[in-house]
Amino acid sequence: MAGRRALKAVLIDLSGTLHIEDTAVPGAQEALSRLRQASVAVKFVTNTTKESRRNLLERLQRLNFDLQEKEIFTSLSAARSLLEQKQHRPLLLVEDGALEDFTGIDTSEPNAVVVGLAPDHFNYQTLNTAFRMILDGAPLIAIHKARYYKRKDGLALGPGPFVTGLEYATDRKATVVGKPEETFFAQALSDLGCSPSEAVMIGDDARDDVGGAQSAGMLGILVRTGKYRDGDEGKIDPPPHLTCDSFPDAVEHILQNLL
Amino acid sequence: MRSGLSAMADTGWPGCARSLKGVILDLCGVLYDSGEGDGVAIRGSIEAVRRLKESDLQLRFCTNETQATREKFVAKLQRLGFDICVSEVFPPAPAAVAVLKERGLRPHLLVHDGLLPEFDSVDKTSPNCVIVGDAAENFSYQNLNEAFRVLIGLEKPVLFSLGQGRYYKETDGLKLDVGVYMKALEYACDLKAEVIGKPSPTFFQTVLNDMGLQPHEALMIGDDLLNDVGGAQHCGMRGVQVRTGKYRPSDEKHPTVTADGTVDDLAQAVELILNQRRN
């Protein structure tokens, strides 16, 4: 077995890993407490685009998870900083609940299109508007390109399919700011003072969580909750460092093997 | 090098018109622009079709029209003044029905309401495939999600796309076409769709068979560089692009497809063709 890595940070996905909608994964709260007792930094990274950081924090606290707002890093945070950098005025195709994270950004006479998870906006009319803007030169920014996610009533299309469709329609490429982009993971670790090789990611999405993290130089642990489907671990190369039943098992593995 | 009198070496446009035996026309963007009501005939196109019919060239219409049945949209074109009949027109839906029957498939349909009658004879219970057409307003998140769920729930998912166009022109601007939603579902389900309609070579071959012609004896005229012109060239036909419909100036500098010729509109194309054949 390879020598132990000096683990300094653990990145934890939220939806599908710590909770599914308004239900916590059994034993997750306690597992998080155990993890915090070890000397590792913890960050909660998510592509969730429907909710602001404040909303996420409130929901997790209602489910008895112990965390602070500054430990949450979302792809919305990543998108906002890109908009500020380039001084774009965005057409925001994001859920109402997420708009809060864009307060202060000028959205008049938009010259960029930002696509998040926004079923209400993915209608024919709005997509046509976005399409014509992009064709005329507006950059397309994708908060992430998840294929689908798990809702209480089954699987549902994520923003990825719509971004792909717009890319095809306009023959342009979107700038993706969320998982599994390497910059997302690098940005998430930047204020923790550690390199990717000193960090591990735990998530339920083989490609976006584990694959993305491993491409960025981290270890990846795949959990069989949330959107996980049988055989997902075989869909990425290299395969996950570990595939286990749920978050508490992942924490157990870290405490016993990686510290 | 060309010999003085023989026209054998004339392979370029418009010289190639001399050895043509048939012309295949796209409909939307060549004959007419769609929009409110019946849409609008493109200037000179009605006369151009009439002139082609009076010539010794065979004529067919090859379209990816999937918002209405053959009977309905041919009737619309007749109302606009075009001399055209159902047997001359080749749209994707009938070809799709044939494929379903051949392969014993039952479809979940994500298509325009106007196209549904084309599938009346088809068993749609317990779908084992999805067909996506130019559904326009029916491309709601909910409908797409339904189609996605059918596919993701199948052990062997099969997705048919009636064409793969990126956009088309209506009187009030450019609009997203079926190809965009095909790509969306391909991405979501990690599969590849089978295209029925232009630019599928099988589709063009059906038209050529009906005309009894070899590819090099036919010319395709369309507004879509990739699906009309590129698709036709891929089969061995010549392809000419018109500057009406969804044409954009950047089409004339495309990295992979170069039209054999680019003309202002169908009227100009037909003028050039018939001039060549007069001499």
Side-chain angles (χ1 to χ4, degrees):
Chain A
M1 197 159 114
R4 288 181 173 195
R5 310 184 112 192
L7 196 71
K8 288 191 181 159
V10 179
L11 299 189
I12 306 169
D13 173 50
L14 292 178
S15 171
T17 301
L18 284 189
H19 70 97
I20 298 186
E21 306 248 345
D22 291 316
T23 310
V25 165
Q29 300 93 329
E30 204 261 340
L32 178 60
S33 300
R34 295 194 61 203
L35 189 60
R36 285 194 184 284
Q37 279 158 33
S39 54
V40 285
V42 167
K43 245 208 190 158
F44 303 91
V45 294
T46 174
N47 269 354
T48 300
T49 58
K50 283 162 58 179
E51 301 170 274
S52 64
R53 289 200 317 173
R54 193 175 51 84
N55 282 345
L56 292 169
L57 177 70
E58 282 169 6
R59 167 197 275 157
L60 289 160
Q61 286 176 337
R62 270 200 306 273
L63 295 178
N64 295 318
F65 285 102
D66 164 32
L67 78 168
Q68 299 171 54
E69 189 171 328
K70 65 174 186 180
E71 292 175 315
I72 300 176
F73 181 82
T74 77
S75 41
L76 291 173
S77 331
R80 191 206 168 96
S81 63
L82 180 66
L83 288 171
E84 286 169 335
Q85 224 179 73
K86 309 259 181 175
Q87 300 187 313
H88 289 320
R89 294 182 309 280
L91 171 70
L92 290 168
L93 301 189
V94 301
E95 202 78 31
D96 286 348
L99 284 174
E100 188 184 305
D101 282 357
F102 291 94
T103 33
I105 305 260
D106 182 6
T107 56
S108 65
E109 289 180 7
N111 58 9
V113 176
V114 174
V115 179
L117 175 59
D120 285 344
H121 292 304
F122 292 156
N123 55 70
Y124 193 58
Q125 199 163 331
T126 309
L127 286 176
N128 269 330
T129 303
F131 156 64
R132 291 171 193 174
M133 282 175 62
I134 301 164
L135 207 59
D136 282 344
L140 171 59
I141 297 169
I143 297 191
H144 62 89
K145 283 189 75 171
R147 289 165 149 75
Y148 51 83
Y149 66 107
K150 187 158 182 2
R151 287 199 309 218
K152 273 182 275 203
D153 62 339
L155 295 179
L157 291 168
F162 298 94
V163 172
T164 303
L166 286 171
E167 288 181 319
Y168 175 72
T170 57
D171 206 14
R172 306 268 155 76
K173 276 254 152 265
T175 301
V176 186
V177 301
K179 293 183 283 178
E181 297 302 306
E182 196 177 318
T183 40
F184 177 88
F185 294 99
Q187 274 189 55
L189 293 176
S190 66
D191 63 345
L192 297 181
C194 76
S195 70
S197 61
E198 297 165 316
V200 66
M201 168 80 198
I202 306 172
D204 65 324
D205 187 320
R207 267 188 260 247
D208 287 359
D209 292 334
V210 178
Q214 293 189 157
S215 295
M218 298 169 50
L219 285 180
I221 298 178
L222 181 63
V223 287
R224 292 193 187 97
T225 48
K227 72 160 71 112
Y228 171 85
R229 285 156 64 83
D230 270 340
D232 275 355
E233 58 268 30
K235 291 188 177 154
I236 57 169
D237 181 34
H241 165 77
L242 174 72
T243 304
C244 60
D245 282 345
S246 69
F247 177 69
D249 302 286
V251 169
E252 213 35 55
H253 174 86
I254 290 170
L255 295 175
Q256 286 181 19
N257 300 293
L258 297 181
L259 295 175
Chain B
M1 298 294 278
R2 241 186 290 181
S3 76
L5 300 171
S6 159
M8 292 277 291
D10 268 350
T11 50
W13 165 268
C16 60
R18 277 179 232 177
S19 55
L20 279 183
K21 297 204 176 132
V23 172
I24 305 176
L25 300 183
D26 173 40
L27 292 179
C28 190
V30 177
L31 264 57
Y32 78 108
D33 277 328
S34 60
E36 280 292 314
D38 283 349
V40 171
I42 289 172
R43 208 174 51 147
S45 288
I46 295 172
E47 174 67 7
V49 169
R50 192 192 59 75
R51 292 183 75 194
L52 280 173
K53 285 211 162 179
E54 283 175 0
S55 75
D56 59 346
L57 289 164
Q58 285 206 62
L59 180 61
R60 297 289 187 280
F61 303 89
C62 184
T63 175
N64 274 359
E65 169 63 60
T66 53
Q67 286 199 11
T69 61
R70 256 169 307 176
E71 284 72 18
K72 284 263 156 68
F73 72 74
V74 166
K76 172 179 75 179
L77 288 164
Q78 287 168 348
R79 279 195 301 274
L80 285 175
F82 288 98
D83 175 6
I84 183 174
C85 65
V86 169
S87 62
E88 299 165 328
V89 178
F90 293 79
V97 170
V99 169
L100 292 172
K101 297 206 160 122
E102 238 172 87
R103 288 157 64 168
L105 291 169
R106 299 178 304 279
H108 170 91
L109 298 170
L110 176 51
V111 300
H112 200 280
D113 288 347
L115 194 69
L116 291 171
E118 290 274 15
F119 295 92
D120 277 347
S121 68
V122 172
D123 180 7
K124 296 180 274 292
T125 60
S126 296
N128 52 16
C129 72
V130 167
I131 296 185
V132 61
D134 175 15
E137 304 296 336
N138 277 352
F139 279 134
S140 62
Y141 179 80
Q142 192 160 332
N143 288 346
L144 271 155
N145 220 30
E146 249 185 78
F148 160 68
R149 284 179 179 178
V150 169
L151 288 169
I152 205 88
L154 292 170
E155 211 184 293
K156 293 203 184 110
V158 174
L159 170 64
F160 294 107
S161 182
L162 303 181
Q164 59 179 41
R166 298 184 296 151
Y167 52 84
Y168 53 84
K169 178 169 182 274
E170 289 213 333
T171 47
D172 59 335
L174 297 179
K175 302 214 172 148
L176 296 173
D177 200 354
V178 61
V180 171
Y181 293 92
M182 171 193 82
K183 286 286 177 186
L185 289 171
E186 284 186 330
Y187 181 82
C189 303
D190 201 13
L191 53 61
K192 276 261 157 271
E194 295 181 45
V195 176
I196 298 179
K198 298 178 284 184
S200 153
T202 330
F203 193 66
F204 284 111
Q205 197 55 53
T206 308
V207 185
L208 289 169
N209 289 347
D210 189 68
M211 296 163 97
L213 295 179
Q214 294 299 307
H216 68 269
E217 298 171 317
L219 168 75
M220 171 86 200
I221 304 176
D223 65 329
D224 187 319
L225 183 71
L226 298 176
N227 295 304
D228 293 333
V229 175
Q233 289 175 337
H234 186 68
C235 295
M237 292 188 266
R238 296 222 178 67
V240 163
Q241 189 181 22
V242 285
R243 293 189 181 97
T244 48
K246 73 171 73 144
Y247 161 88
R248 283 163 63 84
S250 53
D251 287 346
E252 298 194 49
K253 293 186 231 90
H254 197 273
T256 52
V257 178
T258 306
D260 287 284
T262 310
V263 294
D264 287 342
D265 51 29
L266 179 62
Q268 189 184 47
V270 171
E271 178 68 16
L272 289 167
I273 290 170
L274 296 179
N275 275 347
Q276 287 295 318
R277 294 171 77 79
R278 242 195 302 270
N279 301 338

